[in-house]
Every structure is written in structure tokens, then in C-alpha cells.
Amino acid sequence: MARKASNSMSSRLTRFETIAGWLYLPFYLIILNLLLQLANEKLSLGMSALTINIAYFVINLAATLLIFHGFLRQSYFGGSFWNFVQAVVLGFALYYAGTWVLQFALTKLAPGFTIYNNETVGSLISDNIMMAVTIILAPVIEETLVRGLVFGSIRPTSRVMAYIVSVVLFTLMHNWQYFLLYPAGKVLLSCIPYLPASVALAWTYEKAGTIWAPITIHAIINAISFGIVVLP
């Protein structure tokens, strides 16, 4: 099937990619992790949390490349190199400003709040393989599914709903499991810091017209979070 084009996004998903992607999404969000945990327990595989996480991302990357290989072959810079640069710079500025404002407010209103997902990833990030997974693999998987699939599928019908659904999904996919472990109010506070990135990444995709723009910002954000890139 021919790949459709739009004014704001240079490459759209094919019908196959859309259907297969939506079918795969719950497997990515919930089912695969549960299957890995179950297999580890029932088959006595002895996998550590690090090994399970690496397996999770490698399997998801393989599935993402299999389903969306045509979509990911779009031009890295979209229709314009300078438009790409502008979108990435402004998108990162939007993320950085939003994060600063929210963190300042949270430190005043809820001092000592915890970002549970950062703690979980931080406990694994000392391993170089997991660091590479977080900075390189995760952005490709998450941006393809959240911005490319979810945002891109909904946007032709409703731009507002595309933002709302993709923002909520991106925020909850990093935090939903903690609702089973910690008080709901604290987990909701842990969700708030993900909102600026959720909005900025969707805006960047829309502005640049290529999925590689939000992938680039996402990789930079993860690198900054773990001290690989240090801002002045």
C-alpha cells in the first residue's frame, strides 16, 4: 500500500502498520513484561532484573523494526534540514522550560517527591548495555509507537485528542506499574515530570514532519538524565 503524505508530517503509517501497531501496543505495554516475568519464574531461568529489561527492549525493537520498517525509512531530516534543526531546538527548549517550571512547583508544593521510574532505571543504568538500551533503543521504540502510531493515527481526526491521548499514554506507560506498589497520590506526583516531554516530543514530530526528530530529542533527554550529556 502506498505511503500517505500530509502537510505537517511527511510520512504516515500504511494501513498494515497502523493495524499491526495497534495490535502490538498492548503486548508492548503489558503482556511482554508479564510473559518474561512468568517465564523467568516458572522455567527457573534465573534472569536478573537487568537481563529481563534488556530482553524486553531487544524483543520490542525487533518487533518495531519488523512492523514499522517502511515508516522508519523516512528521511531523517524530513522535508527540510533547517526545519528539522528548528523543530529539535525549539522542542528541546519547550521540554526544558516545562520541566524547570514543573520541578520548581513540585519542590515547593511537594518537597521530597519521588520519580519512581527514574529510581528503577537508575538502579540498572550502571551497566553499559542498559545505558545503551535506554539512550538508543528506547527512543526508537517509544517514539515510533507513541508519536508515530498513536499521535499520528489520531491527529487526522482530532489534533487535540492526539495530544491528550499520546501525552496520557506516554506518562502512564512509565508509571502504571507503580500504582501497584505505592500510594496513588505519590505515583500521580511521579507522573507529572513526564508531561513536558510528552507535549514537546509530539510537537516536535508535528513540526519537523519526521519521526527521527522526536527520537533525537528523546535520546538526548535520556543521555542528560543519566549524565552522559551535561548541560552548562
Side-chain angles (χ1 to χ4, degrees):
M1 179 175 293
R3 189 168 297 280
K4 299 177 181 178
S6 71
N7 291 331
S8 59
M9 290 181 283
S10 61
S11 185
R12 293 266 300 279
L13 299 172
T14 64
R15 181 176 177 82
F16 167 78
E17 289 168 337
T18 301
I19 294 173
W22 280 103
L23 290 174
Y24 185 77
L25 191 59
F27 185 80
Y28 162 73
L29 292 173
I30 300 174
I31 298 172
L32 177 57
N33 185 54
L34 294 178
L35 287 177
L36 288 172
Q37 297 282 356
L38 185 63
N40 191 42
E41 178 183 346
K42 297 298 183 182
L43 301 179
S44 301
L45 298 178
M47 292 191 296
S48 65
L50 175 63
T51 304
I52 291 175
N53 272 276
I54 292 173
Y56 172 81
F57 280 105
V58 168
I59 292 171
N60 278 314
L61 178 67
T64 299
L65 295 177
L66 179 64
I67 296 170
F68 301 100
H69 62 275
F71 176 69
L72 290 170
R73 283 204 303 265
Q74 63 187 267
S75 170
Y76 185 87
F77 296 113
S80 166
F81 170 78
W82 292 114
N83 185 59
F84 176 92
V85 171
Q86 183 184 57
V88 168
V89 171
L90 292 177
F92 184 79
L94 175 62
Y95 154 75
Y96 199 71
T99 297
W100 187 88
V101 170
L102 282 180
Q103 287 188 344
F104 178 80
L106 285 172
T107 55
K108 297 297 183 182
L109 299 175
F113 77 96
T114 300
I115 304 176
Y116 293 112
N117 190 61
N118 283 4
E119 285 196 341
T120 300
V121 176
S123 67
L124 303 172
I125 208 65
S126 59
D127 184 275
N128 289 334
I129 297 177
M130 191 61 196
M131 190 176 297
V133 164
T134 303
I135 296 172
I136 299 172
L137 303 192
V140 174
I141 298 165
E142 294 178 8
E143 294 310 308
T144 301
L145 290 171
V146 178
R147 254 59 65 172
L149 175 66
V150 176
F151 183 87
S153 296
I154 299 173
R155 189 189 178 282
T157 303
S158 172
R159 184 170 182 250
V160 172
M161 284 305 300
Y163 271 93
I164 292 174
V165 174
S166 64
V167 166
V168 171
L169 176 62
F170 185 75
T171 300
L172 290 181
M173 65 189 266
H174 289 90
N175 292 279
W176 69 265
Q177 63 270 39
Y178 301 111
F179 283 102
L180 305 175
L181 303 173
Y182 304 103
K186 291 186 176 181
V187 179
L188 287 174
L189 285 175
S190 182
C191 290
I192 293 175
Y194 287 87
L195 297 178
S198 304
V199 174
L201 290 167
W203 182 88
T204 301
Y205 177 41
E206 190 177 35
K207 169 69 176 173
T210 170
I211 196 63
W212 292 104
I215 288 174
T216 300
I217 293 182
H218 197 151
I220 294 171
I221 290 173
N222 286 357
I224 290 172
S225 297
F226 299 109
I228 307 301
V229 174
V230 180
L231 295 180

